[in-house]
Amino acid sequence: MQMFKHIKNWFRKVVETMAVVYATLIIKGKKTFADVPARIQEQVKQVLIDLDCGDLAQ
């Protein structure tokens, strides 16, 4: 059970990091929101909104 918690926490951190990476690439014009994998689009969208760039999440 404890191992599952560690894996779950690690995965959450990876998703958060990838969301920031994708948001940065979108802001720099290297990627578009359409390039973001479906499973992390909501997290990327939230990062973009938090950075006042929510219009890029379309």
Side-chain angles (χ1 to χ4, degrees):
M1 190 77 160
Q2 187 70 13
M3 180 95 137
F4 180 72
K5 276 186 174 181
H6 288 298
I7 292 171
K8 188 175 177 182
N9 287 335
W10 177 81
F11 183 71
R12 184 178 303 125
K13 289 178 185 179
V14 169
V15 168
E16 290 170 4
T17 301
M18 289 306 299
V20 172
V21 169
Y22 268 102
T24 302
L25 292 171
I26 291 168
I27 291 168
K28 289 185 170 209
K30 304 289 183 183
K31 296 277 184 188
T32 66
F33 191 72
D35 296 324
V36 177
R39 67 181 114 190
I40 65 167
Q41 281 184 348
E42 285 302 314
Q43 292 88 345
V44 173
K45 183 176 182 178
Q46 188 58 53
V47 172
L48 289 169
I49 290 169
D50 292 346
L51 295 172
D52 294 326
C53 296
D55 56 310
L56 296 175
Q58 298 183 33

